Amino acid sequence: MTALTLSTAGAATLRADALVVGVAKGPKGPVVAAGAEAVDKAYDGKLAAVLDAVGASGTESEITKLPAPAGLKVPVVLAVGLGSVPEKDESFDEEVLRRAAGAAARALHGFKKAAFALPLDDASAVTAVAEGALLGAYAFTAYQGGETKTAKNADKNGGPKLPLGEIALLGAKPRDKEHKAAAERATVVATEVNIARDLVNTPPNDLTPEAFAAVASATAKENGIKVQILDEKALIKGGYGGIMGVGKGSDNPPRLVKLSYTHPKAEKTLAFVGKGITYDSGGISLKPAGHNETMKCDMAGAAAVFASVVSAAKLGLQVNVTGWLALAENMPSGTATKPGDVLRMYSGKTVEVLNTDAEGRLVLGDALTRASEENPDAIVDVATLTGAMMVALGNRTFAIMSNDDAFRTSVHEIAEEVGESSWPMPLPAELRKSIDSPTADIANMGERMGGGLVAGIFLKEFVGEGITWAHLDIAGPAFHEGAPYGYTPKGGTGSAVRTLVRLAERTATGDLG
């Protein structure tokens, strides 16, 4: 993990390998943002003119590298775009700062230390810049470069560039309680988001359900979180027909992991439930060619839940948080569940399996019922559940469904606040009939049109009566296949972690609308 420090040193005196400044888009060209006054002075007050001359405009996350003048103790100045100059008496939006810091940190892979002289008007800005920089500095290199990745110049020896080693936030005061707390929170959250990314990016031959459970158990115990793991024998004995039905086609048996963080003064309890399909072939309903290569990401919901519970523990939040990781590998074999089979779920409800590639809702159904038995104040499940939701909302926005409109609104507002694009979606009553089965209590497939909503309606059937529940379908943003942008890397993104953590914080303080 990249190191983060707060520094009161001046931009002109701090020694580093690069110095990051902000540049905004003004009506007559680029405008140097607050925090870079000393840097501008080193350019004889002509930094904006120099940037303009080399084509910089100040558009969001634009990167421009310049050789540093003699007055600075760094070799490189990196200007990152912040978008339009804010209106009078307004500050830059936190998400703009987060993305800018992330873009800058990405551009500095291979550097040992960089100083960030971006606008820091308050503690919220400190959080945004710190979080963005730490998320942008992420790189998954565990399987690249062999021994060369530990070399001083790994990229020159055929290995990957190492992430930026150290970030110094200039203008953030290490003795200011708010600034210090902001940096500490950003470090915890970014660390756990990056761990979730690591899990998503890990090849499925190494991250089996058993391996995932072992990682979760070891980390939880290190952070005072209680762990319970149900193996295949316990799942069969307990009647977890959904999880076993999905996992029985694989040589790697399923697991259900319970992580329990408790606070002695907590008055509320949240349950987070994560879909953890460590590889999804589609089962007997095999996915077509071209749809298999990224299916290691089908456990991103469980990764988000795991990271969120650990974050709550590290932050010492005054709320109880229980995480449920429903882990299975969905494979075709002679023992796999077949289309037409009927599974008896943990709730006792029977499900006719019409499509074995609609497996996420089966493992979640069992986990939701089990989570409901403890009667939490709210349950939130997170899943890469449906391609239909990607059709509806694209690759960067996750859907929010709920049995409580006010709670759905609150989760949406929280997601937008932390910079995770989301959209509230309905659970139309008329779609419920489409999952009726002539053979069982319910079918795992319904109408094709509105398929993402049908999946949500299916899950609702397994939530305990009277329990507030929300479903996050993160199929789009959980795994990014395009070029990196802002603080978002290629591959696993850690989607929903920041939303769940902020939800836990709001619940702890009683500030949940």
Side-chain angles (χ1 to χ4, degrees):
M1 183 69 184
T2 300
L4 176 74
T5 59
L6 307 185
S7 177
T8 56
T13 59
L14 185 71
R15 294 185 181 277
D17 299 305
L19 179 58
V20 177
V21 298
V23 55
K25 190 174 183 179
K28 297 182 180 180
V31 176
V32 178
E37 292 82 2
V39 182
D40 187 35
K41 184 177 180 181
Y43 282 94
D44 296 327
K46 297 179 180 179
L47 178 54
V50 172
L51 290 168
D52 189 34
V54 296
S57 64
T59 56
E60 286 191 25
S61 298
E62 173 190 67
I63 298 294
T64 307
K65 289 182 180 179
L66 300 172
L72 301 179
K73 295 185 178 181
V74 296
V76 176
V77 170
L78 185 151
V80 59
L82 299 172
S84 299
V85 176
E87 298 291 331
K88 188 177 181 181
D89 298 327
E90 291 188 7
S91 301
F92 286 101
D93 181 80
E94 289 175 27
E95 180 63 7
V96 168
L97 292 175
R98 193 181 289 113
R99 290 178 180 174
R106 279 196 303 105
L108 293 172
H109 278 205
F111 285 64
K112 287 186 176 181
K113 180 178 181 179
F116 282 62
L118 295 174
L120 298 179
D121 294 337
D122 53 26
S124 294
V126 173
T127 297
V129 173
E131 198 173 79
L134 291 170
L135 293 175
Y138 173 82
F140 185 69
T141 61
Y143 293 81
Q144 298 175 349
E147 294 299 322
T148 62
K149 68 184 178 186
T150 61
K152 183 177 180 181
N153 295 305
D155 54 309
K156 294 180 181 179
N157 296 322
K161 284 186 177 180
L162 297 175
L164 174 60
E166 182 181 348
I167 294 164
L169 295 191
L170 304 185
K173 304 169 185 176
R175 294 185 180 181
D176 184 297
K177 290 183 178 180
E178 290 188 353
H179 285 198
K180 184 179 179 181
E184 289 175 349
R185 180 194 180 278
T187 299
V188 167
V189 174
T191 297
E192 296 311 315
V193 170
N194 286 340
I195 288 173
R197 290 170 168 179
D198 281 348
L199 287 167
V200 174
N201 289 328
T202 299
N205 57 318
D206 282 348
L207 193 75
T208 62
E210 183 179 11
F212 194 158
V215 170
S217 178
T219 304
K221 290 176 181 177
E222 290 173 0
N223 290 281
I225 299 168
K226 292 182 179 179
V227 184
Q228 179 185 9
I229 300 175
L230 299 184
D231 62 13
E232 66 272 28
K233 293 180 180 179
L235 291 169
I236 293 170
K237 184 178 180 180
Y240 293 86
I243 296 175
M244 283 306 305
V246 173
K248 71 177 186 175
S250 172
D251 288 338
N252 297 306
R255 296 287 186 269
L256 178 61
V257 180
K258 177 186 178 184
L259 306 172
S260 302
Y261 161 70
T262 58
H263 191 284
K265 295 182 180 180
E267 297 180 357
K268 298 284 187 179
T269 297
L270 294 174
F272 296 153
V273 178
K275 173 187 173 183
I277 305 299
T278 57
Y279 182 75
D280 182 19
S281 69
I284 297 297
S285 306
L286 194 67
K287 292 180 182 292
H291 291 75
N292 291 285
E293 292 78 4
T294 61
M295 282 299 101
K296 64 181 181 180
C297 80
D298 215 17
M299 37 58 65
V305 167
F306 165 59
S308 302
V309 177
V310 175
S311 293
K314 286 185 174 181
L315 294 170
L317 301 184
Q318 195 170 311
V319 60
N320 297 328
V321 183
T322 303
W324 300 89
L325 315 182
L327 309 175
E329 189 176 74
N330 188 24
M331 296 292 286
S333 75
T335 61
T337 292
K338 304 171 291 297
D341 282 357
V342 173
L343 305 177
R344 185 172 295 278
M345 305 288 283
Y346 178 74
S347 67
K349 192 185 296 288
T350 55
V351 177
E352 182 181 14
V353 179
L354 299 180
N355 187 327
T356 63
D357 196 24
E359 84 299 329
R361 64 200 71 183
L362 298 175
V363 300
L364 287 175
D366 276 354
L368 285 167
T369 302
R370 180 63 186 88
S372 296
E373 289 182 340
E374 301 188 353
N375 199 33
D377 293 284
I379 298 175
V380 180
D381 77 73
V382 189
T384 49
L385 204 61
T386 65
M389 203 50 65
M390 297 172 68
V391 173
L393 298 179
N395 293 322
R396 297 190 183 185
T397 302
F398 64 72
I400 306 172
M401 288 161 253
S402 179
N403 60 4
D404 183 302
D405 288 349
F407 188 60
R408 182 185 63 187
T409 298
S410 293
V411 174
H412 177 226
E413 290 174 349
I414 286 169
E416 295 298 308
E417 177 188 337
V418 300
E420 295 200 296
S421 180
S422 66
W423 197 250
M425 300 291 279
L427 294 171
E430 67 272 13
L431 291 178
R432 170 60 182 83
K433 186 173 179 59
S434 73
I435 52 175
D436 283 346
S437 165
T439 306
D441 294 324
I442 193 173
N444 78 329
M445 289 291 288
E447 287 189 28
R448 179 171 176 270
M449 298 302 174
L453 310 182
V454 171
I457 290 169
F458 180 94
L459 295 179
K460 184 181 176 183
E461 295 280 320
F462 298 90
V463 177
E465 186 175 353
I467 297 177
T468 300
W469 158 78
H471 160 56
L472 311 186
D473 190 335
I474 62 170
F479 196 83
H480 179 57
E481 295 187 64
Y485 64 93
Y487 52 82
T488 301
K490 188 179 181 69
T493 64
S495 178
V497 173
R498 289 180 289 144
T499 296
L500 295 181
V501 173
R502 182 58 58 87
L503 174 62
E505 289 174 327
R506 289 277 193 90
T507 304
T509 59
D511 188 29
L512 188 63

